[in-house]
Amino acid sequence: TGSQNGFVGIPMTLLSLRPSHQAAVIEVGIDEPGTMTGHMDTVSADIAVLTAIGPEHLEKLVDVATVAREEAAALEWIAAHRGTAVVRLDDEWIAPLAKKLNGAKVITCGMNVDADCSGKFENDTLTVDFSGKAEKFPIPLPGEHNASNLLVAISVAHALGLTADEIRKGLMTFETAKGRTEIKKLAKGATFICDYYNANPSSMVAALRLLNEEGLKGSGKKIACLGDMLELGPNEEKFHLNLQPLIERLGVSVLLLYGPRMRWLYDEMEDSKVKTYHFETHAELGKFLLEQLNAEDVVLIKGSRGMKMEEILKSL
């Protein structure tokens, strides 16, 4: 159904719950200061977790320090109501909260750190150490960042008392939300990473790294189709330009850009060995992409929701 995480979406989700439901996962999103506590009052959660802190919605949240402070209100609410807080120790902004949540039951997690639920990503498998007992879990979505997300989910399930076997059984039924790391094969044989539900600097970096993952590599080109990252405030140009070194380092073959902000990156790539193009419409980009496409190519489509990057796939 997509993400329903705001002033309208959260109540809509809550109103859809029925007595037959045993648990509900409610996503809470904020894009301005002071809204988290009100959302938490509405949800009245038993368990809370912050998945990550990064540069997002900076038009009103200004900087990452403010994002961290405003997001932390979710765990502070849980502590005040004596609930359970799952705290990531591998996020520099979240980790310090573990020692400040007086009143909460705190369960720590993190990749390659000493935690109640410590994770290790290897060969498309997540190994989780539950205080000395190691369990292996298949990762339903490719990429190290998705392994990290899975660790958070497993930690919450562990807090609810689910066994490792029950968690593995649940993972077998997993289906990704539309536009969130969907892996598709076109009739021509090319592999598409459809990750166009939204974008910020952190998720853009993760998606570009996924394009370089061993399990997705074909013998063909690595093609990145990137649209603008929106709501990044006064430093939005810098955030777009900062993608250039990573694109170079990962060996992207062809870079296809869309949107006025991606024009900044296009200009920055002028002397690059990466073949870079900028387009004014989805249709123009899609037509050019189709002319370039071979069976062994891997293509990433990524951009903020407002850029409607799914139109590129439709144009194919």
Side-chain angles (χ1 to χ4, degrees):
T1 58
S3 180
Q4 303 287 339
N5 63 5
F7 287 105
V8 175
I10 292 171
M12 284 175 60
T13 302
L14 293 172
L15 288 168
S16 70
L17 298 178
R18 297 292 178 264
S20 58
H21 291 125
Q22 294 178 296
V25 179
I26 312 296
E27 181 181 5
V28 175
I30 60 169
D31 58 9
E32 60 182 303
T35 56
M36 179 61 83
T37 300
H39 286 324
M40 291 299 291
D41 285 339
T42 301
V43 174
S44 191
D46 301 298
I47 301 174
V49 60
L50 302 181
T51 52
I53 301 294
E56 57 183 348
H57 302 300
L58 298 185
E59 282 185 333
K60 295 180 180 178
L61 293 175
V62 183
D63 54 31
V64 178
T66 305
V67 173
R69 185 186 70 238
E70 296 297 324
E71 295 272 9
L75 299 187
E76 292 163 359
W77 188 98
I78 281 290
H81 292 77
R82 300 194 174 280
T84 299
V86 177
V87 181
R88 284 188 57 184
L89 297 185
D90 55 357
D91 186 297
E92 62 177 334
W93 295 99
I94 299 174
L97 299 174
K99 298 178 180 179
K100 299 178 180 179
L101 300 174
N102 296 328
K105 178 185 178 182
V106 176
I107 294 176
T108 58
C109 67
M111 301 292 286
N112 306 307
V113 295
D114 185 13
D116 296 324
C117 299
S118 178
K120 185 177 181 181
F121 174 58
E122 203 170 42
N123 299 325
D124 295 327
T125 300
L126 176 65
T127 302
V128 182
D129 189 318
F130 295 105
S131 302
K133 184 178 180 182
E135 296 281 357
K136 294 185 181 296
F137 299 90
I139 302 173
L141 292 174
E144 188 170 1
H145 64 295
N146 284 316
S148 183
N149 290 335
L150 177 59
L151 175 62
V152 171
I154 289 172
S155 301
V156 172
H158 182 62
L160 287 169
L162 273 69
T163 66
D165 284 341
E166 288 172 328
I167 296 171
R168 278 188 285 266
K169 184 178 179 181
L171 283 171
M172 292 174 64
T173 68
F174 176 85
E175 292 182 12
T176 186
K178 188 172 179 60
R180 292 183 184 265
T181 322
E182 287 184 281
I183 309 298
K184 296 186 177 184
K185 279 268 191 183
L186 256 61
K188 273 193 166 188
T191 300
F192 275 68
I193 306 168
C194 303
D195 197 19
Y196 40 64
Y197 185 85
N198 217 336
N200 59 48
S202 300
S203 67
M204 188 69 83
V205 168
L208 285 165
R209 286 178 175 157
L210 179 56
L211 183 61
N212 202 45
E213 289 266 334
E214 195 66 40
L216 288 173
K217 281 183 181 176
S219 57
K221 302 182 291 296
K222 289 182 287 185
I223 303 173
C225 304
L226 307 183
D228 291 355
M229 298 180 289
L230 305 179
E231 298 181 30
L232 293 181
N235 291 317
E236 61 178 2
E237 182 175 358
K238 182 187 76 172
F239 285 121
H240 285 80
L241 296 180
N242 283 350
L243 296 174
Q244 186 264 342
L246 180 66
I247 290 168
E248 297 274 7
R249 189 165 67 250
L250 292 178
V252 172
S253 311
V254 182
L255 182 62
L256 308 181
L257 303 173
Y258 170 71
R261 293 163 186 82
M262 279 298 171
R263 173 71 69 171
W264 294 322
L265 180 57
Y266 173 74
D267 292 339
E268 187 75 1
M269 301 292 294
E270 184 178 3
D271 297 323
S272 171
K273 293 180 181 178
V274 179
K275 296 178 181 177
T276 304
Y277 307 86
H278 187 275
F279 300 89
E280 298 298 326
T281 68
H282 298 115
E284 290 171 351
L285 194 158
K287 182 175 182 293
F288 183 87
L289 174 60
L290 196 58
E291 293 169 352
Q292 300 283 310
L293 215 51
N294 294 313
E296 293 298 317
D297 294 343
V298 181
V299 182
L300 167 67
I301 302 180
K302 179 76 173 171
S304 280
R305 182 85 297 273
M307 300 310 294
K308 300 181 179 179
M309 296 298 283
E310 67 273 14
E311 294 298 325
I312 292 169
L313 201 62
K314 290 178 183 177
S315 74
L316 301 184

